[in-house]
DNA sequence: CAGAGAAATACAACCGATTGTATTTTTTTG
DNA sequence: CAAAAAAATACAATCGGTTGTATTTCTCTG
């Protein structure tokens, strides 16, 4: 049983006394093959337990029906939504996903890009690692006309397609909302400012302050890695400030930092939102569990994943041309929850 | 620039005036090729910008250096940890991952299995969908001696390797802990009992009750899909019970249900752990955010992912034989937090 | 230095599907 | 019913490494 040879189109051809060409075309429902013949081929294929050999196929056709995905890390709530969306869309379009993580290391990102290149992925989906400043390592793809789409963490100076949300505007909305609640000393905790997502959020924050005639205070802007520890440390910094210097609101560039900062402050007896209002970013599951629930920005990860894949596949199928589209901006929305509502 | 032909081993061979065979073997550091020749080949390869064609290679060698992964869904905290662990191990071993989700549907699982089979994955890693009762659709892999490893959600009657934690024992520990806190009416909210993970947890719960001379009450065992809604509904059911009939502890088979049940009960004024103690399962991020923090079982997803991959690869590399190993049980541990501590 | 043995390299078939073109078969038409 | 057009099928080269075996080259020994 287990040692049977693989069944090939030649076996089918022999069985039916026709040529392998006809079988090959018949299996793909090529219009020049007689419908009856196609039916017979399909039947025989099933009968013999034929399975198409993707290598032989790819070797000749130079298409792999595979998309490469490179992300900084897989284990985040946001990224798993993105992947779920990608897989869903890819599956629908008949593509497979090869997934690798850069672990936030540029070197790994390069390696992965090389592997994907060798694996001849039909397209590449990338969210950049922390330190990535040059996207030189994707040049090989560009020069071979293999479509590349960046999402979320996109290259600052890339002339390729990017899928993002309007981080600037979202941060502006958050800040504006906090201001509307009467906050005047709003702290911003951001991430690596080399990354578009964080620099844009900072920009939105600043602009909102300016538009509402609030002073921008350098000391109220912190930068960190936005981890749990980062959140807790931020709380300590706040607690060390003189009471009058303390912020009356904190806007973190992600929910994790916001939540762990809240928790630490609450433990220290600070009232939220009474003394300090809070807002985060991402709409992570934890934002709906922390008390009070965290005001945040809904980041449509699943949709982003889908959009990235359909963007690539429609290009591959000769529909839209990716190089015409520079940026796709997905809708995000402010979700106001109790952590920031001072006025009822 | 962009229209160059692909560089093949023949180009390298021509350039160096040697045969393609030598180039092929040279590139793989085959011992029968002179070291100097190898060096020259490597140099020329780099010079010409050669990239190996994996199809041509796989077509002949019948190895793909690719592992297939089929999971119920990608967007859960647990699963993303598993994937991160898998990717990490696979990368180290020189394997790639093709990932697909079954969306909890048996049909999708079958389709995915078929695709993976056609893609000639060297091995398959599977966590089963909700409704999967027969693993017939993996038979093709078995018969072709393609290693399959089940993890987390394993087939009840599979004779293949499984990687799990001791769900029975973990649930036993949880229940025992609750009992040690003085709880006498412990509710259990479980998942689909066709799945090993949930039936084992129920079994552990029952045994712990029995061992401590506590009666088993049918009405205190609920089954659901363990979503947020499920948690909230459970809370409503509890609230509808006469006060004297209410449980004094709830042990949910995952953290999500536990947390959302807690939240709803708290909103109704019930004191936790005072009136009702809580315990969950998985050690999800939300378990450390909810107040009081949730007692749970640490489920080592990352390790499980790594173990699954190294299990497969060491088999593929001819090390350990997978068919000798029936089950690998990873260590899990009870994490006691405030949600269940009645006695100080 | 001849001859045996080892080391290095080359030959040639092969993996299995794809595809442009040629050929055969069927259908249509005047 | 023959000729032309359309439909269906077949031929044969090709994609680019891999591998068992044959051949050549080199090294060593008596």
């Amino acid at each position: 049983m287990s040692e049977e040879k693989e069944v090939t189109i030649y076996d089918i051809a022999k069985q039916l006394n026709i040529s392998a060409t006809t079988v090959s075309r018949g299996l793909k429902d090529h219009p020049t093959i007689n419908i009856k013949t196609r039916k017979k081929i399909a039947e025989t294929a099933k009968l013999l337990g034929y399975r198409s050999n993707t290598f032989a196929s790819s070797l000749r056709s130079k298409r792999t029906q595979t998309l490469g995905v490179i992300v900084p890390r897989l284990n985040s709530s946001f990224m798993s939504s993105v992947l779920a969306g990608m897989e869903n869309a890819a599956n629908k379009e008949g593509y497979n996903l090869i997934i690798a993580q850069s672990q936030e290391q540029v070197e790994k990102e390069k390696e992965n890009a090389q592997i994907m290149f060798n694996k001849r992925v039909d397209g590449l989906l990338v969210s950049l690692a922390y330190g990535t400043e040059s996207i030189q390592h994707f040049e090989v793809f560009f020069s071979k006309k293999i479509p590349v789409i960046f999402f979320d963490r996109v290259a600052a100076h890339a002339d390729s397609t990017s899928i993002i949300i309007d981080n600037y505007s979202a941060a502006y909305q958050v800040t504006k909302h906090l201001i509307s609640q009467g906050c005047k000393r709003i702290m911003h905790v951001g991430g690596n400012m080399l990354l578009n997502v964080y620099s844009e959020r900072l920009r939105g924050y600043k602009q909102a302050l300016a538009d509402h005639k609030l002073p921008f205070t350098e000391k109220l802007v912190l930068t960190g890695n936005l981890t749990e520890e980062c959140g807790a440390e931020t709380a300590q910094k706040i607690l060390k400030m003189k009471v009058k210097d303390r912020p009356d609101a904190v806007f973190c560039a992600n929910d994790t930092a916001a939540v762990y900062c809240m928790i630490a402050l609450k433990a220290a007896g600070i009232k939220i939102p009474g003394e300090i209002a809070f807002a985060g970013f991402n709409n992570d599951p934890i934002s709906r569990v922390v008390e009070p629930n965290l005001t945040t920005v809904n980041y449509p990860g699943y949709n982003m994943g889908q959009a990235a894949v359909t963007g690539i596949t429609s290009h591959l199928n000769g529909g839209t041309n990716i190089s015409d589209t520079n940026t796709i901006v997905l809708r995000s929305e402010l979700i106001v929850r109790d952590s920031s509502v001072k006025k009822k």
Side-chain angles (χ1 to χ4, degrees), chain A residues 187 189 219 222 227-243 245-247 250 252 257-270 276 278:
Chain A
M187 172 177 269
V189 182
K219 286 198 176 164
L222 306 180
T227 57
E228 298 179 6
E229 295 72 36
C230 170
E233 285 164 17
T234 302
Q236 294 316 313
K237 283 180 193 156
I238 291 174
L239 291 171
K240 281 207 188 97
M241 294 168 117
K242 288 181 197 148
V243 173
D245 288 341
R246 287 186 187 161
V250 176
C252 290
V259 164
Y260 279 85
C261 185
M262 277 172 73
I263 290 175
L265 289 180
K266 277 168 62 181
I270 300 228
I276 303 184
F278 262 88

Side-chain angles (χ1 to χ4, degrees), chain A residues 20-39 41-42:
Chain A
T21 309
T22 306
V23 175
S24 172
R25 295 204 168 112
L27 286 171
K28 313 200 105 63
D29 275 327
H30 196 284
T32 76
I33 305 298
N34 191 302
I35 297 255
K36 286 179 193 165
T37 315
R38 284 189 232 169
K39 200 163 282 174
I41 291 172

Side-chain angles (χ1 to χ4, degrees), chain A residues 125 148-154 158-167 196-197 299-300 303-315 320-332:
Chain A
L125 304 156
V148 178
I149 283 189
F150 294 97
F151 64 93
D152 184 44
R153 304 250 205 100
V154 306
D159 56 348
S160 67
T161 301
S162 300
I163 300 191
I164 49 175
I165 60 168
D166 189 341
N167 287 286
N196 63 303
V197 288
Y299 201 135
N303 297 345
M304 184 168 273
Q306 285 190 313
V309 166
T310 54
I312 287 253
T313 56
S314 79
H315 170 89
T320 55
N321 194 325
I322 220 175
S323 41
D324 295 344
T325 321
N326 195 271
T327 311
I328 295 173
V329 179
L330 297 183
R331 201 171 303 285
S332 65

Side-chain angles (χ1 to χ4, degrees), chain A residues 1-288:
Chain A
M1 270 288 135
S2 71
E3 294 306 332
E4 319 153 358
K5 292 239 168 37
E6 286 290 335
V7 178
T8 72
I9 54 170
Y10 299 100
D11 299 321
I12 300 177
K14 204 174 294 169
Q15 186 90 184
L16 292 173
N17 235 323
I18 56 180
S19 77
T21 309
T22 306
V23 175
S24 172
R25 295 204 168 112
L27 286 171
K28 313 200 105 63
D29 275 327
H30 196 284
T32 76
I33 305 298
N34 191 302
I35 297 255
K36 286 179 193 165
T37 315
R38 284 189 232 169
K39 200 163 282 174
K40 259 190 276 179
I41 291 172
E43 281 164 11
T44 317
K46 178 166 266 179
L47 193 73
L48 298 182
Y50 166 80
R51 63 166 172 164
S52 143
N53 185 319
T54 24
F55 311 133
S57 167
S58 296
L59 176 57
R60 191 68 227 267
S61 67
K62 303 198 180 292
R63 284 195 110 197
T64 59
Q65 300 293 2
T66 298
L67 302 178
V69 182
I70 303 177
V71 299
R73 46 188 63 247
L74 287 165
N75 43 351
S76 84
S77 159
F78 166 68
M79 206 49 90
S80 62
S81 298
V82 171
L83 283 184
M86 285 184 172
E87 200 281 337
N88 186 267
N91 192 276
K92 239 176 235 156
E93 303 279 341
Y95 282 82
N96 287 109
L97 253 34
I98 294 189
I99 300 176
Q101 44 187 349
S102 62
Q103 317 262 31
E104 300 284 12
Q105 294 161 34
V106 187
E107 276 315 309
K108 280 244 178 203
E109 190 172 283
K110 285 186 187 171
E111 273 173 38
N112 287 329
Q114 193 56 48
I115 292 172
M116 301 283 177
F117 188 61
N118 285 345
K119 285 259 173 184
R120 305 293 205 275
V121 294
D122 287 344
L124 189 65
L125 304 156
V126 185
S127 185
L128 296 169
Y130 242 60
T132 305
E133 295 181 42
S134 148
I135 54 165
Q136 180 62 37
H137 44 297
F138 297 113
E139 200 48 54
V140 281
F141 289 89
F142 297 137
S143 71
K144 282 255 191 299
K145 309 258 192 236
I146 300 168
V148 178
I149 283 189
F150 294 97
F151 64 93
D152 184 44
R153 304 250 205 100
V154 306
H157 47 300
D159 56 348
S160 67
T161 301
S162 300
I163 300 191
I164 49 175
I165 60 168
D166 189 341
N167 287 286
Y168 165 78
S169 155
Y172 187 99
Q173 296 302 326
V174 170
T175 313
K176 184 176 147 193
H177 160 71
L178 291 171
I179 295 171
S180 80
Q181 297 299 309
C183 302
K184 297 201 173 342
R185 293 182 51 76
I186 304 173
M187 172 177 269
H188 178 59
V189 182
N192 184 338
M193 289 305 165
L194 290 173
L195 294 174
N196 63 303
V197 288
Y198 301 121
S199 62
E200 284 293 288
R201 289 173 201 178
L202 175 61
R203 203 163 65 79
Y205 157 81
K206 280 187 181 175
Q207 190 59 48
L209 291 186
D211 287 357
H212 293 82
K213 315 252 190 283
L214 285 178
F216 170 70
T217 318
E218 198 74 65
K219 286 198 176 164
L220 286 181
V221 174
L222 306 180
T223 330
N225 57 8
L226 301 176
T227 57
E228 298 179 6
E229 295 72 36
C230 170
E233 285 164 17
T234 302
Q236 294 316 313
K237 283 180 193 156
I238 291 174
L239 291 171
K240 281 207 188 97
M241 294 168 117
K242 288 181 197 148
V243 173
K244 70 173 174 66
D245 288 341
R246 287 186 187 161
D248 52 11
V250 176
F251 167 30
C252 290
N254 82 5
D255 288 344
T256 305
V259 164
Y260 279 85
C261 185
M262 277 172 73
I263 290 175
L265 289 180
K266 277 168 62 181
I270 300 228
K271 297 279 173 274
I272 296 167
E275 294 174 65
I276 303 184
F278 262 88
F281 212 107
N282 275 6
N283 196 20
D284 263 13
I286 53 171
S287 71
R288 293 189 298 129

